[in-house]
Coordinates of all heavy atoms in Angstrom, one line a residue:
L1 N 23.9 -80.9 -43.3 CA 24.2 -82.3 -43.3 C 25.4 -82.5 -42.4 O 26.5 -82.2 -42.8 CB 24.4 -82.8 -44.7 CG 24.6 -84.3 -44.8 CD1 23.2 -85.0 -44.5 CD2 25.1 -84.8 -46.2
Q2 N 25.1 -83.0 -41.2 CA 26.2 -83.4 -40.3 C 26.7 -84.8 -40.7 O 25.9 -85.8 -40.6 CB 25.7 -83.3 -38.9 CG 26.8 -83.8 -37.9 CD 28.0 -82.8 -37.8 OE1 27.8 -81.6 -37.7 NE2 29.2 -83.4 -37.8
M3 N 27.9 -85.0 -41.0 CA 28.5 -86.3 -41.4 C 29.5 -86.7 -40.4 O 30.6 -86.1 -40.3 CB 29.1 -86.1 -42.8 CG 28.1 -85.6 -43.9 SD 28.8 -85.6 -45.6 CE 30.2 -84.4 -45.3
N4 N 29.3 -87.8 -39.8 CA 30.2 -88.4 -38.8 C 30.6 -89.8 -39.3 O 30.0 -90.4 -40.1 CB 29.5 -88.5 -37.4 CG 29.1 -87.2 -36.8 OD1 29.7 -86.2 -37.0 ND2 28.0 -87.2 -36.1
S5 N 31.7 -90.2 -38.7 CA 32.3 -91.6 -39.0 C 32.4 -91.7 -40.5 O 32.1 -92.8 -41.1 CB 31.4 -92.7 -38.4 OG 31.2 -92.6 -37.0
L6 N 33.0 -90.8 -41.1 CA 33.2 -90.8 -42.6 C 34.1 -91.9 -43.0 O 35.0 -92.3 -42.4 CB 33.7 -89.4 -43.0 CG 32.7 -88.3 -43.0 CD1 33.4 -86.9 -43.1 CD2 31.7 -88.5 -44.2
K7 N 33.7 -92.4 -44.2 CA 34.4 -93.5 -44.8 C 34.9 -93.1 -46.2 O 34.4 -92.2 -46.8 CB 33.5 -94.7 -45.0 CG 32.8 -95.2 -43.8 CD 31.8 -96.3 -44.1 CE 31.1 -96.8 -42.8 NZ 30.1 -97.8 -43.1
P8 N 36.0 -93.7 -46.7 CA 36.5 -93.3 -48.0 C 35.4 -93.4 -49.1 O 35.4 -92.6 -50.0 CB 37.6 -94.4 -48.3 CG 38.1 -94.7 -46.9 CD 36.9 -94.7 -46.1
E9 N 34.4 -94.3 -49.0 CA 33.4 -94.4 -50.0 C 32.4 -93.3 -49.9 O 31.5 -93.1 -50.8 CB 32.6 -95.7 -49.9 CG 32.1 -96.0 -48.5 CD 33.0 -97.0 -47.7 OE1 34.3 -96.8 -47.8 OE2 32.5 -97.9 -47.1
D10 N 32.5 -92.4 -48.9 CA 31.7 -91.2 -48.9 C 32.3 -90.1 -49.7 O 31.6 -89.0 -49.9 CB 31.6 -90.7 -47.4 CG 30.8 -91.6 -46.5 OD1 29.8 -92.2 -47.0 OD2 31.3 -91.8 -45.4
T11 N 33.4 -90.3 -50.3 CA 34.1 -89.3 -51.1 C 33.2 -89.0 -52.4 O 32.9 -89.9 -53.1 CB 35.5 -89.7 -51.6 OG1 36.3 -89.8 -50.4 CG2 36.1 -88.7 -52.6
A12 N 32.8 -87.7 -52.6 CA 32.0 -87.4 -53.7 C 31.8 -85.8 -53.6 O 32.1 -85.2 -52.7 CB 30.6 -88.1 -53.5
V13 N 31.2 -85.3 -54.7 CA 30.6 -84.0 -54.7 C 29.2 -84.1 -54.1 O 28.4 -84.8 -54.6 CB 30.6 -83.4 -56.1 CG1 30.0 -82.0 -56.0 CG2 32.0 -83.3 -56.6
Y14 N 28.9 -83.3 -53.1 CA 27.6 -83.3 -52.4 C 26.8 -82.1 -52.9 O 27.3 -80.9 -52.9 CB 27.8 -83.2 -50.9 CG 28.2 -84.6 -50.3 CD1 29.5 -85.1 -50.6 CD2 27.3 -85.3 -49.6 CE1 29.9 -86.3 -50.1 CE2 27.7 -86.6 -49.1 CZ 28.9 -87.1 -49.3 OH 29.3 -88.3 -48.8
Y15 N 25.6 -82.4 -53.3 CA 24.7 -81.4 -53.8 C 23.5 -81.2 -53.0 O 22.9 -82.2 -52.5 CB 24.2 -81.8 -55.2 CG 25.3 -81.9 -56.3 CD1 26.0 -83.0 -56.5 CD2 25.6 -80.7 -57.0 CE1 26.9 -83.1 -57.5 CE2 26.6 -80.8 -58.0 CZ 27.2 -82.0 -58.2 OH 28.2 -82.0 -59.2
C16 N 23.1 -80.0 -52.8 CA 21.8 -79.6 -52.1 C 20.7 -79.4 -53.2 O 21.0 -78.9 -54.3 CB 22.0 -78.3 -51.3 SG 20.5 -77.7 -50.5
A17 N 19.5 -79.8 -52.9 CA 18.4 -79.7 -53.8 C 17.1 -79.3 -53.1 O 17.0 -79.6 -51.9 CB 18.2 -81.1 -54.5
A18 N 16.2 -78.7 -53.8 CA 15.0 -78.2 -53.3 C 13.8 -78.4 -54.2 O 14.0 -78.4 -55.4 CB 15.1 -76.7 -53.0
V19 N 12.7 -78.6 -53.6 CA 11.4 -78.7 -54.4 C 10.3 -78.2 -53.5 O 10.3 -78.4 -52.3 CB 11.2 -80.2 -54.8 CG1 11.1 -81.1 -53.6 CG2 9.9 -80.3 -55.7
V20 N 9.3 -77.5 -54.1 CA 8.1 -77.1 -53.4 C 7.3 -78.3 -53.1 O 6.8 -79.0 -54.1 CB 7.4 -76.0 -54.2 CG1 6.1 -75.7 -53.4 CG2 8.2 -74.8 -54.4
G21 N 7.1 -78.6 -51.9 CA 6.3 -79.8 -51.6 C 6.2 -80.0 -50.1 O 6.8 -79.3 -49.3
S22 N 5.4 -81.0 -49.7 CA 5.1 -81.2 -48.3 C 5.7 -82.6 -47.8 O 5.4 -82.9 -46.6 CB 3.6 -81.2 -48.0 OG 3.1 -80.0 -48.4
Y23 N 6.4 -83.3 -48.6 CA 6.8 -84.6 -48.3 C 8.3 -84.8 -48.4 O 9.0 -83.8 -48.7 CB 6.2 -85.6 -49.2 CG 4.7 -85.5 -49.3 CD1 4.1 -84.9 -50.4 CD2 3.8 -85.9 -48.3 CE1 2.7 -84.7 -50.5 CE2 2.5 -85.7 -48.4 CZ 1.9 -85.1 -49.5 OH 0.6 -85.0 -49.5
I24 N 8.8 -85.9 -48.1 CA 10.2 -86.3 -48.3 C 10.4 -87.0 -49.7 O 9.5 -87.7 -50.0 CB 10.8 -87.1 -47.2 CG1 10.0 -88.4 -46.9 CG2 10.9 -86.3 -45.9 CD1 10.6 -89.3 -45.9
Y25 N 11.5 -86.7 -50.4 CA 11.7 -87.2 -51.7 C 13.1 -87.8 -51.8 O 14.0 -87.2 -51.4 CB 11.5 -86.0 -52.7 CG 10.2 -85.3 -52.6 CD1 10.0 -84.2 -51.8 CD2 9.0 -85.8 -53.2 CE1 8.8 -83.5 -51.7 CE2 7.8 -85.2 -53.1 CZ 7.7 -84.0 -52.3 OH 6.5 -83.4 -52.2
T26 N 13.1 -88.9 -52.4 CA 14.4 -89.6 -52.6 C 14.9 -89.7 -54.0 O 16.0 -90.2 -54.2 CB 14.3 -91.1 -52.0 OG1 13.3 -91.8 -52.8 CG2 13.8 -91.1 -50.6
R27 N 14.1 -89.3 -55.0 CA 14.5 -89.4 -56.4 C 15.0 -88.1 -56.9 O 14.4 -87.0 -56.6 CB 13.3 -89.9 -57.2 CG 12.8 -91.3 -56.9 CD 11.6 -91.7 -57.8 NE 11.3 -93.1 -57.7 CZ 10.6 -93.6 -56.7 NH1 10.0 -92.8 -55.8 NH2 10.3 -94.9 -56.7
E28 N 16.0 -88.1 -57.7 CA 16.7 -87.0 -58.2 C 15.6 -86.1 -59.0 O 15.6 -84.9 -59.0 CB 17.8 -87.4 -59.1 CG 18.6 -86.2 -59.8 CD 19.7 -86.7 -60.6 OE1 20.0 -87.9 -60.7 OE2 20.4 -85.8 -61.3
A29 N 14.8 -86.8 -59.8 CA 13.8 -86.2 -60.7 C 12.8 -85.4 -59.9 O 12.1 -84.6 -60.5 CB 13.2 -87.2 -61.6
S30 N 12.6 -85.6 -58.6 CA 11.6 -84.9 -57.8 C 12.0 -83.5 -57.5 O 11.2 -82.7 -57.2 CB 11.4 -85.6 -56.5 OG 10.8 -86.9 -56.7
Y31 N 13.3 -83.1 -57.7 CA 13.8 -81.8 -57.3 C 13.9 -80.9 -58.4 O 14.4 -81.3 -59.5 CB 15.1 -82.0 -56.5 CG 15.0 -82.7 -55.2 CD1 15.0 -84.1 -55.1 CD2 14.8 -81.9 -54.1 CE1 14.9 -84.7 -53.9 CE2 14.6 -82.5 -52.8 CZ 14.7 -83.9 -52.7 OH 14.5 -84.5 -51.5
D32 N 13.6 -79.6 -58.2 CA 13.6 -78.6 -59.2 C 14.8 -77.7 -59.2 O 15.2 -77.2 -60.2 CB 12.3 -77.7 -59.1 CG 11.1 -78.5 -59.3 OD1 11.0 -79.3 -60.3 OD2 10.1 -78.2 -58.6
Y33 N 15.4 -77.6 -58.1 CA 16.5 -76.6 -57.9 C 17.7 -77.3 -57.3 O 17.6 -78.1 -56.3 CB 16.1 -75.4 -57.0 CG 14.9 -74.8 -57.5 CD1 13.7 -75.0 -56.9 CD2 14.9 -73.9 -58.6 CE1 12.5 -74.4 -57.4 CE2 13.8 -73.3 -59.1 CZ 12.6 -73.5 -58.5 OH 11.4 -72.9 -58.9
W34 N 18.9 -77.0 -57.8 CA 20.2 -77.6 -57.3 C 21.3 -76.6 -57.1 O 21.4 -75.6 -57.8 CB 20.6 -78.6 -58.4 CG 19.7 -79.8 -58.6 CD1 18.6 -79.8 -59.4 CD2 19.8 -81.1 -58.0 NE1 18.0 -81.0 -59.3 CE2 18.7 -81.8 -58.4 CE3 20.8 -81.6 -57.1 CZ2 18.5 -83.1 -58.0 CZ3 20.6 -82.9 -56.7 CH2 19.5 -83.7 -57.2
G35 N 22.1 -76.9 -56.1 CA 23.3 -76.1 -55.9 C 24.4 -76.5 -56.7 O 24.3 -77.5 -57.5
Q36 N 25.5 -75.9 -56.6 CA 26.7 -76.1 -57.5 C 27.5 -77.3 -57.0 O 28.4 -77.8 -57.7 CB 27.6 -74.9 -57.6 CG 28.6 -74.7 -56.4 CD 27.9 -74.3 -55.1 OE1 26.7 -73.9 -55.1 NE2 28.7 -74.4 -54.0
G37 N 27.3 -77.7 -55.7 CA 28.1 -78.8 -55.2 C 29.3 -78.4 -54.4 O 29.9 -77.4 -54.6
T38 N 29.6 -79.3 -53.4 CA 30.8 -79.0 -52.6 C 31.6 -80.4 -52.5 O 30.9 -81.4 -52.2 CB 30.5 -78.4 -51.2 OG1 31.7 -78.1 -50.5 CG2 29.7 -79.4 -50.4
Q39 N 32.9 -80.4 -52.6 CA 33.7 -81.6 -52.6 C 33.9 -82.1 -51.2 O 34.4 -81.3 -50.4 CB 35.0 -81.4 -53.4 CG 35.9 -82.6 -53.4 CD 35.4 -83.7 -54.3 OE1 35.0 -83.5 -55.4 NE2 35.4 -84.9 -53.7
V40 N 33.7 -83.4 -51.0 CA 34.1 -84.0 -49.8 C 35.0 -85.2 -50.1 O 34.7 -86.0 -50.9 CB 32.9 -84.6 -49.0 CG1 33.3 -85.5 -47.9 CG2 32.0 -83.5 -48.6
T41 N 36.2 -85.2 -49.5 CA 37.2 -86.2 -49.8 C 37.6 -86.8 -48.4 O 38.0 -86.1 -47.5 CB 38.5 -85.6 -50.4 OG1 38.1 -85.0 -51.7 CG2 39.5 -86.7 -50.7

């Protein structure tokens, strides 16, 4: 995830997620696997 022109409101823990599938998914419940997160301030 390349993040440019960052704003203060982008501050958060960012999580990577994965699901076996062929489409794009925007809902949290669609994903089966999650990383531990990385802090962006």
Side-chain angles (χ1 to χ4, degrees):
L1 186 68
Q2 178 66 47
M3 305 185 295
N4 298 326
S5 302
L6 283 162
K7 305 174 181 179
E9 53 261 44
D10 295 319
T11 295
V13 176
Y14 283 71
Y15 295 91
C16 178
V19 59
V20 176
S22 301
Y23 309 104
I24 53 174
Y25 305 94
T26 63
R27 293 180 172 84
E28 180 180 358
S30 296
Y31 292 87
D32 296 318
Y33 307 102
W34 294 84
Q36 83 289 344
T38 185
Q39 177 70 49
V40 172
T41 302

